[in-house]
Amino acid sequence: MDFQFTKAQEMLQKVAREFAENEVGPLAAEVDRTGIYPKETFEKMAKIGFTGIGTPIEYGGSGGNDIDKVIVVNEIAKKCAATAAILSIHTIFAQGILKFGTEEQKKKYLPMMAEGGCLGAFALTEPNAGTDAGAAKTTAILDEETGEYVINGTKCFISGGAQAQAVLVFALTEPAKGLKGMSAIIVEKGTPGFTYGKIEEKMGIHGSETAELIFDNCRVPKENLVGKLGKGFNIAMTCLDGARIGVAAQALGIAEGAFEESVKYAKERVQFGKPIAELQGIQWYLAEMATKIEAARWLIYYAASLKNSGKPFTKEAAMAKFNASTVAREVTNLALQIHGGYGYMKDYPLERMYRDAKITEIYEGTSEVHKVVISRAVLS
Ligand code: COS
């Protein structure tokens, strides 16, 4: 088993690290304070090719694979978890179209998502369908006369939902069949009947906007159906498997960012006449953090490499995400502890990292859902 980056991946990591340090890090506190979606940063990420990672060059993407995506999301999350979330979630739309879309859909949407700086979103969750995603009630009924789907319902907690140029919406095309009657349909921004409701105020990842999407007799051409009719739930689950590796990479980045801050602080902070890095209690914290981070990293790269090679990776993606998000919470907690009172203040990034880490245990599937997925796999 080869765990080495290729030369190109080493270069990508260097570029991503520099971009994160120069373009993302300096804005992170401001993005957190204002909650304003960092549009310019997203456009810069499009220019540099990050938004097109995983999309083939023939469709305007940058090529690359899941390892490359992990590298970039990881580096950006070290400096700003919200910006990493925006990038990571954006790529789910493109991946869904790439895997299940028609040639026309690929030609239309992939270039604009990759190079055009347009954001994509993924709308599955509803007020009464969170972990139980199959309980979604939004409908998309075909009007045979006009050849349009008429969409009615409300989606909630949709990352980037109000900014996105196109949203992959999961709706019941045959409501009587429940989740077996669910289909995936593209809805473009500006389509009559498609509006935004509440923009959520959250504990963390403030720059990654979370919106309610309202569909009120929203009509879209039947050509907007993605994949087979009635296969929407399977499409959603397939997309989420990949997205979970992205969240794991984000969680890893948050943990690494907090760890790096802690090492720096421990060497600088003098108490009892010496840097606190010389105290065994602090050394043990750092050792614990470093070990958890390293273990999380390899589980993520393992899941990503399985996905790349076309092997089943559902269980490993769930493990990688469950583990990395736990590590992000534990490591940011210890990092804040090492910083003491300063860590609790907004002058330092620790309290932001601590808040940002929590969502990784919740979105794209809670830790409890991952335990369901893992236990089903090991018991089957
Ligand atoms: N990839 C592809 N298809 C999958 C799949 C996967 N990882 N997991 C399940 N499916 C398919 C099953 O094969 C089944 O298809 P068929 O009916 O064709 O056989 C169908 O989906 C239903 O599967 P299952 O019976 O396992 O569904 P459940 O209702 O028990 O749901 C959980 C399973 C709980 C795991 C699922 O609902 C889930 O992941 N929920 C969390 C949702 C989530 O992550 N939300 C985050 C926000 S997204 S905006």
Side-chain angles (χ1 to χ4, degrees), residues 17-26:
R17 191 167 291 169
E18 283 170 8
F19 182 84
E21 276 165 12
N22 299 331
E23 306 285 348
V24 179

Side-chain angles (χ1 to χ4, degrees), residues 18-42:
E18 283 170 8
F19 182 84
E21 276 165 12
N22 299 331
E23 306 285 348
V24 179
L27 299 177
E30 184 68 0
V31 164
D32 179 59
R33 191 182 62 76
T34 61
I36 295 172
Y37 160 69
K39 190 169 184 294
E40 277 180 24
T41 309
F42 186 76

Side-chain angles (χ1 to χ4, degrees), residues 150-161:
V150 185
I151 308 178
N152 280 291
T154 300
K155 296 285 176 183
C156 67
F157 302 163
I158 306 305
S159 301

Side-chain angles (χ1 to χ4, degrees), residues 77-359:
K78 283 186 197 171
K79 297 295 171 191
C80 178
T83 306
I86 292 166
L87 178 63
S88 178
I89 294 161
H90 162 79
T91 59
I92 312 176
F93 178 92
Q95 290 307 300
I97 302 297
L98 189 63
K99 192 160 176 60
F100 299 101
T102 61
E103 195 51 33
E104 287 70 31
Q105 288 167 345
K106 289 179 195 172
K107 282 190 180 134
K108 178 171 181 191
Y109 293 104
L110 294 180
M112 73 190 231
M113 292 295 152
E115 57 191 17
C118 296
L119 194 67
F122 180 90
L124 175 65
T125 302
E126 296 185 8
N128 294 316
T131 292
D132 186 8
K137 292 278 175 284
T138 295
T139 54
I141 306 300
L142 185 64
D143 179 338
E144 300 282 0
E145 272 181 33
T146 62
E148 293 167 320
Y149 283 109
V150 185
I151 308 178
N152 280 291
T154 300
K155 296 285 176 183
C156 67
F157 302 163
I158 306 305
S159 301
Q163 300 288 336
Q165 216 50 45
V167 184
L168 194 56
V169 178
F170 294 87
L172 300 175
T173 40
E174 292 170 278
K177 291 189 179 170
L179 64 80
K180 285 192 188 300
M182 186 184 279
S183 301
I185 297 172
I186 300 166
V187 181
E188 291 184 18
K189 188 175 192 162
T191 307
F194 171 29
T195 52
Y196 317 110
K198 188 178 176 203
I199 305 294
E200 304 290 343
E201 284 188 40
K202 308 189 294 290
M203 174 179 170
I205 57 160
H206 290 164
S208 169
E209 185 198 75
T210 305
E212 180 183 45
L213 308 186
I214 300 164
F215 302 93
D216 182 9
N217 287 320
C218 171
R219 289 177 168 268
V220 297
K222 68 175 181 197
E223 290 71 32
N224 285 20
L225 177 76
V226 176
K228 291 200 177 113
L229 194 70
K231 286 288 173 195
F233 192 76
N234 305 60
I235 293 172
M237 291 299 119
T238 305
C239 291
L240 281 175
D241 281 343
R244 286 167 183 168
I245 298 176
V247 176
Q250 181 201 10
L252 175 66
I254 298 170
E256 284 182 303
F259 177 72
E260 284 171 11
E261 291 292 330
S262 301
V263 169
K264 195 163 61 154
Y265 186 80
K267 287 180 179 169
E268 285 166 7
R269 174 72 170 161
V270 174
Q271 290 289 273
F272 305 106
K274 56 187 175 189
I276 61 169
E278 291 179 23
L279 301 172
Q280 195 177 50
I282 300 295
Q283 291 169 355
W284 284 16
Y285 276 168
L286 292 172
E288 198 181 319
M289 292 155 83
T291 306
K292 285 181 171 171
I293 286 171
E294 212 51 38
R297 185 190 329 282
W298 295 114
L299 202 43
I300 295 168
Y301 281 117
Y302 177 51
S305 67
L306 285 178
K307 180 168 186 284
N308 275 347
S309 54
K311 295 191 178 131
F313 67 99
T314 298
K315 179 186 74 181
E316 289 74 11
M319 285 175 164
K321 201 263 193 186
F322 164 48
N323 179 61
S325 58
T326 308
V327 166
R329 172 174 48 76
E330 290 172 348
V331 166
T332 53
N333 183 42
L334 287 179
L336 207 153
Q337 198 67 19
I338 289 171
H339 282 72
Y342 287 111
Y344 200 69
M345 305 303 155
K346 289 201 179 273
D347 298 332
Y348 283 79
L350 273 304
E351 64 83 34
R352 167 170 54 84
M353 292 170 163
Y354 181 75
R355 286 185 285 109
D356 286 347
K358 184 61 202 171
I359 189 60

